[in-house]
Amino acid sequence: MHNNVFDLPELTRVGSSNPFSTTDSSISRLEGMNKLISGNNLEHILCGVQANLELLHIKAKNYHWNVSGAGFQGVHGMFDELEDYARETGDRVAERMRYHCIKVDATASSYLGCAWFREGNADLDMDGMLSDMCMTLMCIIEKMDEFDSDLCTYPVDQSMLQEINEGLGKFCYFVKSNMSHSSGDVSY
């Protein structure tokens, strides 16, 4: 039994996965706590993913409303489907956050503070919107791939994000397909 905070336990073993374990060396405990504070912990990951799915929803809706040109109808519909997907998956992530007792800070400033990509530009032509959306989707997919190994202790969340990423990959394929049809250029 420890009488005060200065009466520290004996440190004997290195490498425990619990950052607060009293048997770890002070260095490994410090490294573990540092990862919890500043690294890709569950809250950081889910908050970032949820925010960026909401921003994707806004960007897709912006392009849905403002796209024009030859082949407009198909691209218009695709942006609408992407907007629906981003909104629905963002909601799934938010509900999972609440399951973990993580607050969902659904404010524009919070979302923009977590942004992995730039906002949509309604003044772009159709090819510009498609190219920008392709880059946005690839950015989100790559960022979410980085989190996969960090979620190995949360298999339900890991599986959910893998499934969402797979859906984003399909939309990226559809965007690329529309790019090659609208401009004849397939060098993306």
Side-chain angles (χ1 to χ4, degrees):
M1 184 56 123
H2 306 290
N3 296 328
N4 62 52
V5 293
F6 300 105
D7 185 14
L8 296 175
E10 182 177 320
L11 301 174
T12 58
R13 202 177 97 236
V14 176
S16 171
S17 62
N18 180 355
F20 301 109
S21 172
T22 59
T23 58
D24 282 347
S25 75
S26 59
I27 299 296
S28 65
R29 281 195 342 217
L30 180 61
E31 289 169 349
M33 286 186 282
N34 189 37
K35 182 172 182 181
L36 287 176
I37 294 167
S38 64
N40 291 332
N41 64 30
L42 183 65
E43 181 175 1
H44 171 82
I45 292 169
L46 293 180
C47 287
V49 169
Q50 194 271 337
N52 280 277
L53 287 170
E54 292 300 327
L55 291 170
L56 177 62
H57 157 247
I58 293 167
K59 186 176 211 171
K61 193 52 122 178
N62 183 13
Y63 287 173
H64 165 79
W65 285 329
N66 291 295
V67 69
S68 61
F72 150 81
Q73 196 61 39
V75 174
H76 176 79
M78 181 202 56
F79 282 141
D80 202 33
E81 289 177 29
L82 176 56
E83 178 268 330
D84 286 341
Y85 182 77
R87 182 178 37 78
E88 290 167 7
T89 55
D91 188 60
R92 280 179 60 201
V93 173
E95 289 170 359
R96 192 69 189 160
M97 290 169 66
R98 294 307 302 145
Y99 170 82
H100 289 293
C101 299
I102 299 170
K103 179 181 157 199
V104 180
D105 188 5
T107 61
S109 62
S110 173
Y111 289 162
L112 291 171
C114 294
W116 301 332
F117 54 89
R118 68 177 187 263
E119 292 184 285
N121 179 353
D123 293 328
L124 293 173
D125 64 8
M126 183 176 1
D127 289 335
M129 289 179 184
L130 289 166
S131 178
D132 184 48
M133 186 58 74
C134 183
M135 296 299 291
T136 296
L137 290 168
M138 291 190 314
C139 173
I140 295 170
I141 290 166
E142 183 178 310
K143 189 72 172 171
M144 286 177 61
D145 279 344
E146 291 174 16
F147 297 141
D148 193 59
S149 64
D150 295 320
L151 292 174
C152 62
T153 56
Y154 301 96
V156 173
D157 301 290
Q158 184 182 41
S159 178
M160 177 185 67
L161 293 189
Q162 289 170 345
E163 180 184 323
I164 291 170
N165 228 14
E166 184 179 322
L168 292 173
K170 290 176 185 176
F171 276 104
C172 191
Y173 171 80
F174 294 139
V175 170
K176 287 179 180 180
S177 296
N178 278 292
M179 286 170 59
S180 63
H181 287 18
S182 67
S183 67
D185 179 19
V186 291
S187 59
Y188 33 83

